[in-house]
Amino acid sequence: MVIEWAKASTEMGLQLVKTNSFIIPMESSHKWYRYHHLFRDLLRQRLEQQSEIDVEKLHHRAGCWFKMVGHEQEAIHHFLKANAFEEAAALVECKWAEMDIQLQAASWLDMAKRLPMSVLEKSPVLAMGYGWALLDMGNVEGCSEWFDKAQALYDMCQSEVYPKKAFL
């Protein structure tokens, strides 16, 4: 969980950080904070005890907010928790090139593996990224299967027969 402090509460936020009172700054400018992991766990436990609250819906809302403020990996995490796999897949797809350039293929692959196979096998970009990440990890045999899937999906995407709406 992340908190962005308004100007009026900046002093209070700094005081809480100085006294080690359940929040931790996420960066040096002290604009973004997160809850201490023990406090976060307590809040999650309380939330789960309240049956009238739709936790999946809260994760979806959090995913939308993180996406809006440009924190895609946090958004992906929350979309996955909300079972909003199409939205998570769209973001994972967009992160591939950036993460590959930054030599983060293993991290990207971990995100992609959390998507259902039915979602992965609909996107030529995800299939290609999956294969490429496997190749980066040294799995030459496993990557060729995904490259073949990516090529088949791309060919279908190019044909007039297959509707464009079938893809993400």
Side-chain angles (χ1 to χ4, degrees):
M1 295 184 198
V2 178
I3 304 166
E4 182 176 0
W5 297 101
K7 274 189 171 184
S9 59
T10 300
E11 283 185 33
M12 183 192 307
L14 292 174
Q15 184 63 29
L16 289 170
V17 170
K18 284 180 188 175
T19 59
N20 199 19
S21 300
F22 301 112
I23 63 167
I24 299 166
M26 293 181 64
E27 31 70 60
S28 61
S29 70
H30 292 270
K31 182 178 178 187
W32 292 94
Y33 295 84
R34 67 176 174 82
Y35 291 123
H36 185 279
H37 69 279
L38 295 174
F39 187 55
R40 179 197 63 212
D41 293 346
L42 173 69
L43 292 174
R44 279 194 184 135
Q45 183 182 34
R46 287 275 177 93
L47 180 65
E48 290 168 1
Q49 290 172 349
Q50 297 180 7
S51 61
E52 72 275 0
I53 295 177
D54 186 352
V55 176
E56 206 170 273
K57 195 175 198 176
L58 290 176
H59 277 294
H60 189 267
R61 286 179 60 194
C64 290
W65 185 83
F66 277 117
K67 180 181 174 187
M68 182 181 70
V69 298
H71 292 270
E72 291 88 6
Q73 286 183 271
E74 290 87 348
I76 291 165
H77 167 77
H78 285 286
F79 284 141
L80 289 170
K81 290 273 192 176
N83 294 320
F85 299 120
E86 299 294 329
E87 289 171 277
L91 290 174
V92 170
E93 196 174 89
C94 291
K95 294 294 287 177
W96 164 246
E98 172 190 334
M99 292 180 78
D100 185 49
I101 289 170
Q102 296 172 353
L103 304 175
Q104 296 179 340
S107 296
W108 184 89
L109 187 60
D110 287 340
M111 285 190 298
K113 283 181 176 180
R114 291 187 279 156
L115 294 168
M117 196 60 65
S118 60
V119 172
L120 284 171
E121 291 179 337
K122 285 195 313 189
S123 166
V125 175
L126 285 174
M128 178 60 80
Y130 204 97
W132 201 264
L134 287 173
L135 183 61
D136 285 347
M137 305 303 295
N139 186 345
V140 177
E141 293 163 9
C143 74
S144 66
E145 174 189 344
W146 284 95
F147 290 150
D148 292 342
K149 287 180 187 182
Q151 183 65 55
L153 287 165
Y154 177 78
D155 292 343
M156 275 197 292
C157 191
Q158 296 302 310
S159 75
E160 297 284 329
V161 179
Y162 204 83
K164 302 269 189 253
K165 290 180 184 177
F167 296 100
L168 297 176

